[in-house]
């Protein structure tokens, strides 16, 4: 959950939540937290593991790597976008290392990667020319990057 998610659910300011979440430096002494603040934060139910119910952002490094793997396997952004329920441009942006993305989309990308990485895209209706083009572009991107 993001600091904003926690603040919204706990009824606290996002600034206070960020202050509570900040880890003190080694030379600093940890600050005391007011009991009412602690109770408000600790009273928030956690989202189920593997299926976050809370909106929030996460880093995109893993999702970017997974989408690049699928591109090297020949899966076009449009085919992935259709399965993820997003725009093809969104897939391309995440693959090109958009700094952050929604937690729910990151989970869907992880599931989709598990499902598709061992499957030939041509066997799933992707035109052979499109799969070859995507593989070639992914190889060029790997060499350039």
């Amino acid at each position: 959950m993001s600091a904003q998610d926690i603040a919204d659910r706990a009824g606290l300011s996002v600034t206070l939540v960020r202050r509570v979440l900040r880890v003190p430096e080694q030379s600093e002494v940890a600050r005391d937290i007011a009991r009412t603040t602690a109770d408000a934060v600790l009273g928030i139910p956690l989202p189920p593991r593997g299926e976050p119910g809370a909106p929030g952002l996460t880093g995109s490094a893993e999702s970017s790597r997974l989408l690049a793997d699928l591109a090297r396997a020949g899966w076009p952004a449009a085919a992935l976008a259709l399965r993820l329920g997003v725009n093809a441009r969104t897939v391309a942006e995440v693959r090109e290392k958009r700094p952050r993305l929604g937690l729910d989309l990151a989970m869907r990308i992880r599931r989709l990667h598990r499902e598709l990485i061992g499957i030939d895209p041509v066997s799933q209706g992707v035109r052979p020319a499109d799969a070859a083009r995507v593989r070639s572009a992914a190889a060029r991107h790997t060499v350039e990057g």
Side-chain angles (χ1 to χ4, degrees):
M1 294 175 71
S2 70
Q4 186 66 59
D5 295 333
I6 295 168
D8 290 346
R9 289 170 197 246
L12 301 170
S13 75
V14 71
T15 304
L16 176 58
V17 171
R18 285 188 180 122
R19 202 174 313 138
V20 168
L21 293 173
R22 192 173 305 128
V23 177
E25 298 291 328
Q26 285 185 347
S27 60
E28 291 181 15
V29 176
R31 296 184 187 148
D32 289 335
I33 300 170
R35 180 175 300 284
T36 54
T37 301
D39 289 345
V41 171
L42 294 173
I44 299 171
L46 292 175
R49 188 170 177 85
E51 273 309 316
L57 297 176
T58 187
S60 67
E62 179 189 17
S63 296
S64 175
R65 181 184 58 75
L66 296 175
L67 290 173
D69 283 351
L70 289 170
R72 283 189 293 277
W75 287 97
L80 298 174
L82 185 63
R83 292 170 183 255
L84 290 168
V86 297
N87 187 294
R89 185 68 204 145
T90 301
V91 170
E93 287 174 2
V94 172
R95 192 175 49 215
E96 294 165 12
K97 299 209 175 25
R98 175 196 282 188
R100 294 164 49 109
L101 73 151
L103 195 54
D104 61 329
L105 179 56
M107 298 297 290
R108 291 194 323 260
I109 290 170
R110 187 180 300 160
R111 259 192 310 273
L112 185 65
H113 181 270
R114 259 193 317 262
E115 176 187 327
L116 296 180
I117 195 60
I119 299 174
D120 179 28
V122 174
S123 71
Q124 299 297 306
V126 173
R127 292 184 1 205
D130 290 342
R133 179 183 47 78
V134 171
R135 286 184 187 111
S136 174
R140 276 195 314 272
H141 188 70
T142 301
V143 171
E144 293 169 4

